[in-house]
Amino acid sequence: MITIQGLRKKFGSLQVLNDLTLQIPAGQATGIVGPNGSGKTTLIKHLLGLVKPDAGCIEVNGVHLNGSYEYRRHIGYMPQMAQYPENMKVRELIDFIIQMREEEPVFEEELIALFELEKEMQKPLRVLSGGTKQKAGALLALMFDPRILILDEPTAGLDPRSSYQFKQWIKREKDRGKTILLTTHIMSEIEELADHLILLVEGQVRYHGRQSDFIKSNEEQRLEGAVAKILQEVSV
Amino acid sequence: MKALTIVSYQWKDLFRDKWLIGYALIYLVLTDALIRFGGGGPKALLSLSNIMLLFVPLVSLIYGVLYLYQSREFVELLLAQPLDRKSLFAGLYGGLTIPLSLAFVVGAGLPLFYTGVWIQTGFGTVATVFGLGIALSLIFVGVGFLFGLKYFDERVKGFGFALVSWLFLAVLYDGLVLLLVSTFSAYPLEKAMIGLSVLNPIDLARIGVLLEFDISALMGYTGAVFNRFFGSYLGFVIALSCLVLWIAVPAWRGLNLFNKKDF
């Protein structure tokens, strides 16, 4: 369970998160949606301790995040645009993260095979395409079998086959009881993967609940239409 | 322990970067040329020291700032792991200062070794010059990190401040001190001169070189003041303490900024 209470964050004069209070259920997949600049990535960065809140508190599995870092052992994070040290080889990057976490990976070989990374292992990261770097990012996030998966626009840059395989993996993880937090602008992905929905607009929670209820209450067939309807109302 | 792992990976990464090898090669070519064409022996080492006093701070500052900017995503990746910020900062700092210092020592040291200059000038003198070079690398990487962290999202500003601070400390500062001395020549300025010299790490290193080569007399009255004060045991301890402070304060302040930074 992830609990967020009264979270506020300002960058300069811009209020990015404004008194955010949320409970993200354990063992389920939650999609975070919202227009650009609504605070999705900032919220995720707060959960990882990359950004410090101006006010409010966050608890992950009962651990109050106040400079602690051990809780991140249970988190697998896949960033929006994976960028790594250019001269490092893929194999070295994986070994480096293994050393940093001081734990043995569970799914390393399986994921290397799934994303067909065998041929890329001895290549420096600078020569890899954006999609291949994204696959390496997916591997790093998933290989330790963490309890919580935080995925920031994970399929951006992935080819259709890899994207499909990635989503299948996430569905499997969901069935295994993992807590999954996903942001994306592809609404069909949220429909496919998430049970719960958080709609953020200008740093505030506009909706938080079951995805099916959100679609129903907006009298729409698809999530995309329901989200568009709300955003239209907000802009008017 | 994790900091050492980061240092070892950064080390490997930097050595694959041709830039660092180029930095070492510049020192190698310069030192070799100074020994061959600059009078050899102590004269060459003194010329090398003067180049070091300008070049090491400049390169360390620029590389300190750029290194942080280039490592942004890497820092984010590492901070998403169960790793404390202190270890990461120590890893980044060590991962840059150690290869930079080593590039200087190997680049400048090899010609001194294969031409036998280190025997002519004495191991103590060579060690002092290299020690000061390493201290300047540590100081200015720390200052570079400070500017990099302070202006993390404004790269041009961070880079600009780094360059201006080098220009001030390496070039303008001495001019200002000279102006002060000539303006207030009627007053006793000994203590003020000593005070001003410890406020600039490049000046501190320069005084170390002057005393080591016993050429402070070339600076006339000022040299005599420095010689009297820094040549004493107390003066030596104060100079060394100031250098240590110059290393510690920017690194400590950088760590504080790094701990509070939003990535």
Side-chain angles (χ1 to χ4, degrees):
Chain A
M1 169 83 86
I2 300 170
T3 310
I4 299 163
Q5 195 82 46
L7 189 66
R8 284 173 187 273
K9 184 69 190 178
K10 219 174 183 181
F11 289 123
S13 59
L14 186 70
Q15 189 76 47
V16 182
L17 296 178
N18 196 358
D19 202 15
L20 220 68
T21 296
L22 282 170
Q23 281 200 332
I24 298 166
Q28 295 187 44
T30 302
I32 307 175
V33 296
N36 294 327
S38 57
K40 302 186 293 292
T41 298
T42 306
L43 173 61
I44 280 179
K45 286 187 169 184
H46 271 97
L47 298 179
L48 292 161
L50 290 170
V51 170
K52 313 251 174 176
D54 294 336
C57 63
I58 305 171
E59 274 185 20
V60 175
N61 289 337
V63 178
H64 180 62
L65 312 191
N66 189 16
S68 55
Y69 56 90
E70 269 304 318
Y71 77 96
R72 293 198 288 256
R73 190 169 296 288
H74 307 295
I75 294 180
Y77 169 55
M78 190 173 166
Q80 208 172 71
M81 292 289 281
Q83 291 292 338
Y84 307 110
E86 292 195 332
N87 298 319
M88 214 183 241
K89 292 173 183 167
V90 180
R91 180 72 260 167
E92 287 171 343
L93 176 69
I94 295 167
D95 290 341
F96 179 54
I97 296 299
I98 291 172
Q99 276 180 280
M100 279 293 108
R101 291 184 78 112
E102 293 171 333
E103 62 181 296
E104 284 305 310
V106 181
F107 298 124
E108 185 188 347
E109 296 309 321
E110 217 174 326
L111 286 160
I112 288 172
L114 180 77
F115 293 125
E116 295 173 324
L117 284 169
E118 297 94 337
K119 286 180 196 162
E120 319 292 338
M121 298 306 269
Q122 293 309 321
K123 289 183 185 168
L125 284 144
R126 68 170 179 273
V127 303
L128 300 185
S129 67
T132 311
K133 281 185 194 167
Q134 199 72 352
K135 288 181 193 174
L139 170 77
L140 296 178
L142 303 172
M143 70 177 180
F144 294 100
D145 195 20
R147 281 189 237 157
I148 300 170
L149 284 170
I150 298 180
L151 313 166
D152 195 0
E153 301 198 27
T155 57
L158 287 183
D159 58 70
R161 189 176 158 207
S162 304
S163 174
Y164 173 75
Q165 284 165 334
F166 176 79
K167 284 189 276 189
Q168 293 305 109
W169 187 284
I170 297 302
K171 281 179 191 168
R172 197 191 80 171
E173 292 300 287
K174 195 175 124 184
D175 293 340
R176 290 176 67 220
K178 298 291 170 65
T179 305
I180 297 164
L181 209 58
L182 167 81
T183 76
T184 177
H185 287 295
I186 307 166
M187 292 300 114
S188 60
E189 254 173 31
I190 300 275
E191 280 181 315
E192 197 179 341
L193 297 172
D195 315 296
H196 285 261
L197 183 78
I198 296 169
L199 174 61
L200 284 182
V201 180
E202 291 173 356
Q204 287 183 310
V205 179
R206 190 72 199 200
Y207 177 82
H208 179 208
R210 294 201 65 82
Q211 189 193 153
S212 49
D213 295 343
F214 178 72
I215 298 171
K216 242 185 249 170
S217 65
N218 282 286
E219 295 165 350
E220 288 286 338
Q221 298 293 313
R222 305 292 304 266
L223 178 64
E224 194 169 33
V227 171
K229 199 172 176 179
I230 294 285
L231 295 183
Q232 182 65 32
E233 280 173 22
V234 171
S235 66
V236 173
Chain B
M1 198 59 201
K2 284 181 180 175
L4 285 179
T5 312
I6 298 167
V7 169
S8 72
Y9 271 89
Q10 295 289 85
W11 170 280
K12 217 187 274 180
D13 195 52
L14 272 174
F15 268 92
R16 282 186 188 141
D17 209 330
K18 292 178 182 73
W19 196 95
L20 197 72
I21 296 165
Y23 180 58
L25 278 175
I26 287 171
Y27 277 114
L28 193 132
V29 171
L30 264 173
T31 312
D32 190 271
L34 286 170
I35 292 167
R36 284 176 204 279
F37 310 113
K43 259 188 172 177
L45 193 59
L46 181 61
S47 305
L48 173 70
S49 306
N50 285 323
I51 292 168
M52 170 197 87
L53 289 171
L54 290 176
F55 201 44
V56 168
L58 179 66
V59 171
S60 303
L61 257 175
I62 291 174
Y63 220 72
V65 176
L66 288 181
Y67 184 70
L68 264 190
Y69 291 155
Q70 284 171 352
S71 308
R72 186 180 185 134
E73 286 84 6
F74 187 53
V75 168
E76 284 183 23
L77 172 78
L78 288 180
L79 284 179
Q81 311 302 325
L83 173 70
D84 62 310
R85 289 190 177 209
K86 198 174 162 187
S87 299
L88 179 53
F89 183 81
L92 292 171
Y93 183 72
L96 180 59
T97 51
I98 296 171
L100 266 185
S101 303
L102 199 79
F104 163 66
V105 171
V106 171
L110 271 177
L112 296 177
F113 181 73
Y114 63 64
T115 55
V117 166
W118 72 283
I119 299 170
Q120 283 174 42
T121 48
F123 178 73
T125 308
V126 174
T128 303
V129 172
F130 283 170
L132 290 170
I134 292 169
L136 287 175
S137 299
L138 292 169
I139 292 166
F140 284 95
V141 166
V143 176
F145 270 29
L146 259 183
F147 285 123
L149 285 165
K150 187 106 181 129
Y151 303 104
F152 202 60
D153 298 309
E154 300 163 287
R155 295 178 179 210
V156 176
K157 229 178 188 177
F159 195 66
F161 273 113
L163 278 179
V164 168
S165 69
W166 173 80
L167 193 71
F168 177 74
L169 292 172
V171 185
L172 298 177
Y173 193 86
D174 280 352
L176 290 172
V177 170
L178 206 65
L179 187 73
L180 195 80
V181 170
S182 63
T183 310
F184 299 101
S185 57
Y187 300 94
L189 288 172
E190 284 187 26
K191 282 181 184 164
M193 292 282 292
I194 289 164
L196 285 172
S197 65
V198 300
L199 290 177
N200 181 350
I202 299 176
D203 268 8
L204 265 177
R206 186 175 289 129
I207 290 164
V209 169
L210 293 177
L211 295 176
E212 186 60 41
F213 286 90
D214 204 15
I215 51 167
S216 53
L218 290 177
M219 286 178 72
Y221 168 73
T222 317
V225 170
F226 287 150
N227 201 7
R228 200 162 53 235
F229 180 75
F230 291 110
S232 69
Y233 179 72
L234 178 72
F236 172 75
V237 170
I238 288 175
L240 197 67
S241 307
C242 288
L243 265 183
V244 170
L245 273 177
W246 263 108
I247 294 169
V249 171
W252 170 77
R253 185 79 192 104
L255 174 63
N256 274 348
L257 279 178
F258 191 76
N259 275 334
K260 291 176 193 156
K261 188 88 208 145
D262 291 329
F263 288 97

